[in-house]
Amino acid sequence: RVACSGGVDSLFSCAFVNQDNSTVIVYVNNTDTDEVTKLTATGDYSVYTTSDKYDLEKTAEGAAGDADISVPAMSVVTVVVK
């Protein structure tokens, strides 16, 4: 597990480094409000969302750096950085 911050008080977050050196960040939003957090990392990223609308579906991807990550209300968002 590595240190991380959601940057938004209403989000819970944790991060891990996998054996393949990819980093996984998990954000949990258990409020009724959509949130946006900033991803600052190197490498490409993929975003997977689980909510009443999505079932662990890829909802975004791109080159990391400073990227805005949408975390919908009542959802779990997993970001994989490679």
Side-chain angles (χ1 to χ4, degrees):
R1 194 167 127 167
V2 296
C4 75
S5 170
V8 178
D9 289 339
S10 60
L11 295 180
F12 297 99
S13 62
C14 63
F16 301 87
V17 176
N18 291 319
Q19 289 181 346
D20 66 358
N21 287 322
S22 63
T23 301
V24 175
I25 307 155
V26 179
Y27 298 101
V28 178
N29 182 355
N30 61 2
T31 71
D32 293 327
T33 305
D34 294 345
E35 299 288 357
V36 175
T37 188
K38 187 74 75 178
L39 172 67
T40 303
T42 58
D44 296 335
Y45 68 92
S46 298
V47 179
Y48 301 89
T49 303
T50 301
S51 65
D52 62 347
K53 186 176 177 182
Y54 300 107
D55 185 15
L56 197 59
E57 290 184 40
K58 185 186 282 188
T59 53
E61 62 185 348
D66 285 335
D68 288 333
I69 304 298
S70 297
V71 186
M74 303 302 291
S75 72
V76 176
V77 170
T78 304
V79 179
V80 180
V81 181
K82 294 186 175 189

Short mmCIF file of all heavy atoms in Angstrom, two decimals, residues 8 20-21 27 30-31 35 43-44 48-49 56 61:
data_model
loop_
_atom_site.label_atom_id
_atom_site.label_comp_id
_atom_site.label_asym_id
_atom_site.label_seq_id
_atom_site.Cartn_x
_atom_site.Cartn_y
_atom_site.Cartn_z
N VAL A 8 -10.30 15.37 -1.97
CA VAL A 8 -11.68 15.79 -1.72
C VAL A 8 -12.10 15.14 -0.41
O VAL A 8 -12.01 13.92 -0.26
CB VAL A 8 -12.62 15.34 -2.87
CG1 VAL A 8 -14.06 15.74 -2.60
CG2 VAL A 8 -12.14 15.91 -4.20
N ASP A 20 3.53 -6.06 -11.06
CA ASP A 20 3.96 -5.63 -12.39
C ASP A 20 4.32 -4.13 -12.42
O ASP A 20 4.50 -3.54 -13.47
CB ASP A 20 2.89 -5.93 -13.44
CG ASP A 20 1.61 -5.13 -13.24
OD1 ASP A 20 1.51 -4.35 -12.26
OD2 ASP A 20 0.68 -5.31 -14.05
N ASN A 21 4.41 -3.52 -11.23
CA ASN A 21 4.74 -2.10 -11.03
C ASN A 21 3.64 -1.13 -11.47
O ASN A 21 3.87 0.07 -11.49
CB ASN A 21 6.07 -1.72 -11.68
CG ASN A 21 7.23 -2.29 -10.90
OD1 ASN A 21 7.20 -2.32 -9.68
ND2 ASN A 21 8.25 -2.75 -11.61
N TYR A 27 -11.09 4.86 -5.32
CA TYR A 27 -11.84 5.96 -4.70
C TYR A 27 -13.25 5.48 -4.39
O TYR A 27 -13.88 4.83 -5.24
CB TYR A 27 -11.94 7.16 -5.65
CG TYR A 27 -10.63 7.77 -6.04
CD1 TYR A 27 -10.05 7.49 -7.26
CD2 TYR A 27 -9.97 8.64 -5.18
CE1 TYR A 27 -8.84 8.06 -7.63
CE2 TYR A 27 -8.76 9.22 -5.54
CZ TYR A 27 -8.21 8.93 -6.76
OH TYR A 27 -7.01 9.49 -7.12
N ASN A 30 -19.42 7.70 -1.16
CA ASN A 30 -20.68 7.21 -0.61
C ASN A 30 -21.64 8.36 -0.31
O ASN A 30 -22.51 8.24 0.55
CB ASN A 30 -20.45 6.32 0.60
CG ASN A 30 -19.76 7.03 1.74
OD1 ASN A 30 -19.47 8.21 1.66
ND2 ASN A 30 -19.49 6.30 2.80
N THR A 31 -21.50 9.46 -1.05
CA THR A 31 -22.40 10.60 -0.90
C THR A 31 -23.33 10.68 -2.11
O THR A 31 -23.18 9.93 -3.08
CB THR A 31 -21.62 11.93 -0.79
OG1 THR A 31 -21.05 12.25 -2.07
CG2 THR A 31 -20.52 11.84 0.26
N GLU A 35 -18.24 13.89 -7.58
CA GLU A 35 -17.01 14.57 -7.22
C GLU A 35 -15.99 14.42 -8.34
O GLU A 35 -16.10 13.52 -9.18
CB GLU A 35 -16.42 14.00 -5.92
CG GLU A 35 -17.31 14.12 -4.71
CD GLU A 35 -17.43 15.54 -4.19
OE1 GLU A 35 -16.77 16.46 -4.73
OE2 GLU A 35 -18.20 15.74 -3.24
N GLY A 43 2.79 7.93 -16.63
CA GLY A 43 2.29 6.75 -17.32
C GLY A 43 0.85 6.93 -17.78
O GLY A 43 0.22 7.95 -17.52
N ASP A 44 0.35 5.94 -18.47
CA ASP A 44 -1.02 5.95 -18.95
C ASP A 44 -1.96 5.41 -17.88
O ASP A 44 -1.56 4.60 -17.04
CB ASP A 44 -1.15 5.10 -20.21
CG ASP A 44 -0.34 5.66 -21.37
OD1 ASP A 44 -0.09 6.89 -21.38
OD2 ASP A 44 0.05 4.87 -22.25
N TYR A 48 -12.02 2.67 -14.15
CA TYR A 48 -13.11 1.70 -14.14
C TYR A 48 -14.10 2.13 -13.06
O TYR A 48 -13.71 2.38 -11.92
CB TYR A 48 -12.58 0.30 -13.85
CG TYR A 48 -11.57 -0.16 -14.87
CD1 TYR A 48 -10.22 0.12 -14.70
CD2 TYR A 48 -11.96 -0.84 -16.01
CE1 TYR A 48 -9.27 -0.28 -15.63
CE2 TYR A 48 -11.02 -1.24 -16.96
CZ TYR A 48 -9.69 -0.96 -16.75
OH TYR A 48 -8.76 -1.36 -17.68
N THR A 49 -15.38 2.19 -13.42
CA THR A 49 -16.40 2.67 -12.50
C THR A 49 -17.41 1.58 -12.19
O THR A 49 -17.86 0.86 -13.08
CB THR A 49 -17.13 3.89 -13.11
OG1 THR A 49 -16.17 4.90 -13.41
CG2 THR A 49 -18.18 4.45 -12.16
N LEU A 56 -18.15 -2.15 -13.18
CA LEU A 56 -16.71 -2.22 -13.40
C LEU A 56 -16.37 -1.99 -14.87
O LEU A 56 -15.58 -2.71 -15.48
CB LEU A 56 -16.12 -3.54 -12.90
CG LEU A 56 -14.61 -3.58 -12.70
CD1 LEU A 56 -14.15 -2.55 -11.70
CD2 LEU A 56 -14.16 -4.96 -12.28
N GLU A 61 -9.76 6.89 -20.09
CA GLU A 61 -8.36 6.50 -20.19
C GLU A 61 -7.59 7.67 -20.77
O GLU A 61 -8.18 8.59 -21.35
CB GLU A 61 -8.17 5.25 -21.04
CG GLU A 61 -8.61 5.39 -22.48
CD GLU A 61 -8.52 4.08 -23.23
OE1 GLU A 61 -7.91 3.12 -22.74
OE2 GLU A 61 -9.05 4.02 -24.35
#
